[in-house]
Amino acid sequence: MNDLTRRQREIFDFLRDNYERFAYPPTLDALCAALGMASRGSLYKHIMALIAAGLVEPFTGNKQGGIRLTAQAQRDYAACEHSLPFVGKIAAGKPIEALENVNYMAVPEVLKSDKPCYVLQVQGDSMVEAGIFDGDWVIIEQRSYADNGEIVVALIERSEATLKYIEQSTDKVLLIPANSNMTAMTYRPEQVEIQGVLIGQMRSYRSH
Amino acid sequence: MNDLTRRQREIFDFLRDNYERFAYPPTLDALCAALGMASRGSLYKHIMALIAAGLVEPFTGNKQGGIRLTAQAQRDYAACEHSLPFVGKIAAGKPIEALENVNYMAVPEVLKSDKPCYVLQVQGDSMVEAGIFDGDWVIIEQRSYADNGEIVVALIERSEATLKYIEQSTDKVLLIPANSNMTAMTYRPEQVEIQGVLIGQMRSYRSH
DNA sequence: TAGTTATGTTCTCTTTTTGTTCTCTTTTTG
DNA sequence: CAAAAAGAGAACAAAAAGAGAACATAACTA
């Protein structure tokens, strides 16, 4: 797998990253066009190298034609590119209950960012008026700072994790629920550690 | 099931994605026309391959011919296992604005069902109190019936599509918004056609 | 009832697509 | 510079796709 030339690596990466752009497994001609190459024969040599490396399905016995990634190559891609780790649940008042076996969830592109993200399941009703319900999944971008008005995962006193609106000033931090029955809490900056910022949310209506 | 040629798969995808456009299961000639083909005999070969693959029901034996999809076909053959077709936007007061080039969105398993589903983007605030906001994506299970209390995609008078809670009795149908500023509408059963039921919802906090 | 139409089925023939193999040229790299 | 890598492009064979004619038969029509 390491004896690929730079160009072969490049072509494989392109294939891996743009595979869904093709409605069907691309033919040599289609890939040529997508890569801006003019010669099918030249591309053929590279694809043969990728087949030898086990990254691409061999053509022989491949009746439908087209270049297909190996199951292996696809899995690797799915695990890191398409899916996000499902870390656990976040309940108001308790630290994040981490899962031992990290699962991965497929998440639509539009709900992700280009920075590292993970998924949490919400427990509690502290954000209902922001449209985040008990049982929803939230996609969190991992970072330690936030703008005022963003919804953040905050760790309070190194022990309680919670999902709230944040308002920061020089001497204090406000964590504001979206629920008329609850009140905002005020902390000193050193009591609150931002663990991530909400960038996406998902809900299932089936499970009851 | 995988030994389809590219064209065969293309034709199957077309059939699956446009099946509702045909009033009756399409004949070979009708499908020819829809596909822009000139020869019935050529299409026949492809359909035979789809029948052999178990994706399509044979047309003989039935009083009225026509090509119908097998039940299994719908669910098993998405462009990508994890993806659902993104059909368009749904706004209160207008029919679903269909997209020409159907995109597919990766969707987590937990938001899907084993029946055919598609994705719509919500326009308008009629469901805010149910936690469904303007711009959210909703996952719809395609079916023509619903239980009372479910959130449905309803086509009113064959012209307006809308997302609402439904309450049905023998002689009338109520479509109820989740917004205190709006009122429920009452219809006769024949005025309302259920096009699907809400089973999932997604929101991005980035793009605005 | 006889004829017309719609629809599925079977052919043959042609065209297009696609993988494959060459040879030659250009570019990159140590 | 020399070797390796990349590319262009021609040529070829097999597979796939398509056109179109011909036929069968069931349903419908005048």
Side-chain angles (χ1 to χ4, degrees):
Chain A
M1 152 103 74
N2 251 348
D3 46 358
L4 293 181
T5 69
R6 169 170 306 140
R7 184 59 169 147
Q8 285 158 12
R9 181 96 229 163
E10 218 171 283
I11 289 177
F12 172 72
D13 286 344
F14 178 89
L15 208 47
R16 206 235 278 99
D17 294 343
N18 300 73
Y19 201 70
E20 306 99 272
R21 286 210 346 221
F22 300 97
Y24 307 95
T27 62
L28 287 173
D29 280 346
L31 229 201
C32 268
L35 285 164
M37 288 177 68
S39 164
R40 207 186 332 164
S42 304
L43 178 60
Y44 180 78
K45 277 188 291 187
H46 292 133
I47 298 299
M48 279 312 176
L50 294 182
I51 290 176
L55 295 171
V56 162
E57 228 46 89
F59 282 130
T60 46
N62 177 3
K63 186 174 157 193
Q64 37 199 344
I67 296 157
R68 317 163 74 83
L69 297 176
T70 307
Q72 180 67 48
Q74 273 181 330
R75 245 198 316 281
D76 293 352
Y77 176 61
C80 55
E81 293 294 326
H82 253 318
S83 304
L84 295 180
F86 175 47
V87 184
K89 297 183 179 183
I90 180 170
K94 290 175 193 166
I96 294 172
E97 166 200 324
L99 297 180
E100 303 146 15
N101 300 336
V102 177
N103 285 333
Y104 284 82
M105 295 180 77
V107 168
E109 290 299 322
V110 290
L111 298 195
K112 301 197 295 192
S113 81
D114 47 355
K115 308 217 180 79
C117 299
Y118 55 90
V119 178
L120 291 172
Q121 192 169 22
V122 174
Q123 282 187 330
D125 294 322
S126 63
M127 296 301 286
V128 279
E129 285 156 26
I132 299 169
F133 293 178
D134 186 52
D136 285 7
W137 287 271
V138 287
I139 293 115
I140 305 295
E141 180 179 302
Q142 198 163 1
R143 52 179 153 104
S144 54
Y145 58 92
D147 295 329
N148 283 343
E150 286 189 305
I151 298 175
V152 302
V153 174
L155 185 65
I156 303 164
E157 300 278 20
R158 300 197 167 278
S159 63
E160 297 180 19
T162 182
L163 190 71
K164 294 283 187 317
Y165 283 111
I166 195 166
E167 288 291 338
Q168 301 161 293
S169 57
T170 44
D171 57 340
K172 63 185 175 189
V173 176
L174 247 76
L175 294 179
I176 309 167
N179 186 329
S180 326
N181 300 324
M182 303 181 183
T183 56
M185 299 288 284
T186 308
Y187 298 94
R188 294 188 309 279
E190 66 269 22
Q191 290 179 290
V192 177
E193 181 190 336
I194 296 173
Q195 297 199 314
V197 174
L198 177 74
I199 58 167
Q201 175 267 158
M202 311 184 294
R203 183 184 309 141
S204 169
Y205 284 81
R206 282 190 310 156
S207 51
H208 29 227
Chain B
M1 146 108 68
N2 245 350
D3 47 358
L4 293 181
T5 70
R6 170 172 298 100
R7 184 61 170 146
Q8 284 157 12
R9 191 174 156 173
E10 217 171 280
I11 288 175
F12 172 74
D13 285 348
F14 178 88
L15 208 46
R16 187 199 49 196
D17 294 341
N18 300 73
Y19 200 71
E20 295 83 33
R21 286 197 359 205
F22 300 99
Y24 302 100
T27 63
L28 287 175
D29 281 344
L31 232 199
C32 267
L35 284 164
M37 287 177 68
S39 164
R40 207 187 329 162
S42 303
L43 178 60
Y44 179 78
K45 276 188 291 187
H46 292 134
I47 298 298
M48 279 329 235
L50 294 182
I51 291 176
L55 297 171
V56 154
E57 308 264 34
F59 12 69
T60 33
N62 278 331
K63 317 127 226 182
Q64 29 198 348
I67 300 154
R68 40 192 95 213
L69 300 174
T70 61
Q72 186 203 30
Q74 296 269 348
R75 50 174 179 265
D76 281 352
Y77 216 81
C80 165
E81 288 176 43
H82 289 292
S83 300
L84 294 180
F86 174 45
V87 183
K89 298 182 175 181
I90 183 170
K94 289 176 196 167
I96 293 170
E97 165 199 324
L99 298 180
E100 301 149 16
N101 298 337
V102 177
N103 285 332
Y104 285 81
M105 294 180 77
V107 167
E109 289 300 322
V110 288
L111 298 196
K112 299 197 298 190
S113 81
D114 49 354
K115 308 222 181 74
C117 299
Y118 55 91
V119 177
L120 291 173
Q121 192 169 22
V122 174
Q123 284 186 329
D125 294 322
S126 64
M127 296 302 285
V128 279
E129 285 157 24
I132 300 170
F133 294 178
D134 186 53
D136 285 8
W137 286 271
V138 288
I139 292 116
I140 306 295
E141 180 178 303
Q142 196 165 0
R143 53 179 151 103
S144 54
Y145 58 91
D147 295 328
N148 284 341
E150 285 188 306
I151 297 174
V152 302
V153 174
L155 185 65
I156 304 165
E157 301 277 20
R158 299 198 167 279
S159 63
E160 296 180 19
T162 182
L163 190 73
K164 296 281 183 324
Y165 281 111
I166 196 166
E167 288 290 339
Q168 301 160 295
S169 58
T170 43
D171 57 341
K172 62 185 179 192
V173 176
L174 248 75
L175 294 179
I176 309 166
N179 185 330
S180 325
N181 301 325
M182 303 181 184
T183 56
M185 300 288 285
T186 309
Y187 297 93
R188 295 187 307 279
E190 65 270 21
Q191 290 178 291
V192 176
E193 182 191 332
I194 296 173
Q195 297 199 314
V197 176
L198 177 76
I199 59 168
Q201 174 267 155
M202 310 184 294
R203 182 183 310 140
S204 169
Y205 284 84
R206 281 192 310 156
S207 52
H208 33 224

